[in-house]
Amino acid sequence: MTFIGNLVYVAIAVVGGLQVASGAMQLGDVQAFIQYSRQFTQPLAQLGSMANLLQSGVASAERVFDLLDAEEQSEDPDLAETPTEAHGRLVFENVSFRYSAEKPLIEELSLVAEPEQTIAIVGPTGAGKTTLVNLMMRFYEIDSGRILLDGVDVATMTRHDLRSRMGMVLQDTWLFGGTIRDNIAYGRPDATEQDILAAATATYVDRFVHSIPDGYDTVLDDEGGNVSAGEMQLLTIARAFLAKPSVLILDEATSSVDTRTEVLVQKAMSALRAERTSFVIAHRLSTIRDADLILVMESGRIVEQGNHVQLLAANGAYQALYAAQFAAPVGDEV
């Protein structure tokens, strides 16, 4: 609308100038036309601005009402069950789940993760790898089937009890404003200084902390801006190490670090995986060669499972993924 108003102003100025030059119009008449055009276009410009604000408000209102209309999270059971021992044995029995009723994702999935076993989950984007992890932690409720942790249905446990038994290291690191010591001890507030130092040493955090003037008393900002991406990842691994979960989930934990830091992160994750059941979601197949069991997922289904050598010998989906990452490029003959 402002552009149209400026065009009208130019048109009146040009035509009025010609009329004044020929003596057919007075200069005051041209000035009056300009004033009238401004008075006419200004309300139209305001109306256009109001329409823009109205559209933005409608879009915002839709999001607010979507949130208000969302299904409430189910209450924890009054008589919640608790596993008597924390071995970390996880069983999926005919689990089905879909985000929308018309689009199936996971159908009749069965899986057994034995204690201290490392389970790697690979597959293309959208195959359901992260969804499987979200179901384990009850971020979503399954449509049918059961998930058992140490013999107890997770649906009969409180969410706090369930999630306190699981540790998670994500691709996107999360730190809060506080000291390095506080960030490490976040998952276990009652940890002693010796426990924190032991976790930091086991996960190679102690190496870089000693090079910082304030050491473990160094205050981090909300974004962790005063440490590198690799150091942030090591801090999150140390936090999970200190919490001592019975089930560990690693979701692309090395994808945002350089190659040299990845070696340290891999060693830290190896120490973290010891004596606990681990689920590793990875796109880099080099990081999961030593896994006890590799699950290849496509469209919410497990299409292959076995160790690295077995899956390569099967010459199936895993072998195709492996070849796509590691096969040497063949140049076209000229």
Side-chain angles (χ1 to χ4, degrees):
M1 296 305 299
T2 303
F3 176 71
I4 293 174
N6 290 334
L7 284 182
V8 171
Y9 173 78
V10 171
I12 293 175
V14 171
V15 175
L18 294 175
Q19 293 291 328
V20 171
S22 64
M25 183 178 289
Q26 298 295 321
L27 183 59
D29 296 335
V30 177
Q31 177 64 25
F33 266 101
I34 292 175
Q35 293 294 335
Y36 293 150
S37 69
R38 289 297 186 188
Q39 293 177 9
F40 181 73
T41 56
Q42 184 177 3
L44 293 179
Q46 292 176 347
L47 185 61
S49 177
M50 291 174 60
N52 185 29
L53 292 174
L54 183 61
Q55 291 177 351
S56 177
V58 170
S60 299
E62 289 178 353
R63 295 172 184 169
V64 170
F65 283 108
D66 284 342
L67 178 61
L68 294 176
D69 295 338
E71 184 178 350
E72 292 288 342
Q73 179 176 277
S74 60
E75 295 285 342
D76 286 330
D78 294 331
L79 300 176
E81 297 185 41
T82 301
T84 55
E85 297 182 359
H87 296 300
R89 188 175 191 270
L90 205 63
V91 179
F92 287 75
E93 293 183 353
N94 300 319
V95 172
S96 297
F97 173 76
R98 56 183 66 188
Y99 289 104
S100 57
E102 63 277 0
K103 187 177 180 181
L105 179 59
I106 295 177
E107 295 289 337
E108 300 294 326
L109 185 145
S110 296
L111 166 68
V112 177
E114 297 295 344
E116 300 186 20
Q117 210 175 28
T118 297
I119 313 294
I121 308 174
V122 300
T125 301
K129 304 185 295 296
T130 303
T131 300
L132 196 65
V133 170
N134 289 335
L135 294 178
M136 288 165 46
M137 302 188 72
R138 285 189 68 192
F139 291 136
Y140 298 99
E141 299 293 344
I142 60 178
D143 296 331
S144 62
R146 293 194 307 167
I147 301 176
L148 305 176
L149 176 61
D150 291 326
V152 177
D153 191 341
V154 297
T156 64
M157 300 172 61
T158 65
R159 290 180 176 84
H160 175 74
D161 184 25
L162 172 65
R163 294 167 187 171
S164 66
R165 298 170 183 270
M166 297 187 179
M168 202 169 188
V169 180
L170 302 176
Q171 175 181 353
D172 299 323
T173 56
W174 178 81
L175 301 176
F176 61 87
T179 65
I180 290 179
R181 180 183 290 101
D182 293 337
N183 273 276
I184 295 176
Y186 178 78
R188 188 178 156 198
D190 60 341
T192 64
E193 185 72 15
Q194 289 75 17
D195 293 334
I196 295 173
L197 291 177
T201 303
T203 55
Y204 300 93
V205 169
D206 198 61
R207 284 190 176 190
F208 74 84
V209 170
H210 282 308
S211 64
I212 304 175
D214 294 330
Y216 288 94
D217 293 320
T218 301
V219 178
L220 304 177
D221 57 29
D222 293 341
E223 301 296 330
N226 40 357
V227 294
S228 68
E231 292 167 349
M232 290 171 61
Q233 194 65 273
L234 289 174
L235 283 172
T236 59
I237 293 174
R239 179 192 297 163
F241 188 95
L242 183 63
K244 295 183 179 180
S246 58
V247 177
L248 176 67
I249 300 166
L250 301 172
D251 189 353
E252 279 296 321
T254 63
S255 62
S256 60
V257 298
D258 60 84
T259 305
R260 293 183 63 184
T261 308
E262 182 181 357
V263 175
L264 287 179
V265 174
Q266 288 286 359
K267 290 181 179 178
M269 288 194 302
S270 296
L272 181 59
R273 293 203 307 261
E275 301 180 359
R276 54 181 54 90
T277 308
S278 304
F279 286 83
V280 182
I281 298 175
H283 287 104
R284 295 182 187 177
L285 301 187
S286 59
T287 63
I288 47 92
R289 291 181 180 180
D290 60 344
D292 299 307
L293 180 64
I294 300 174
L295 307 178
V296 184
M297 294 191 67
E298 290 183 359
S299 302
R301 296 181 299 108
I302 298 176
V303 295
E304 286 183 337
Q305 56 180 304
N307 60 34
H308 176 72
V309 176
Q310 292 171 342
L311 292 178
L312 284 181
N315 199 28
Y318 181 82
Q319 197 278 338
L321 287 173
Y322 188 84
Q325 289 192 21
F326 298 105
V330 178
D332 295 332
E333 295 183 1
V334 180

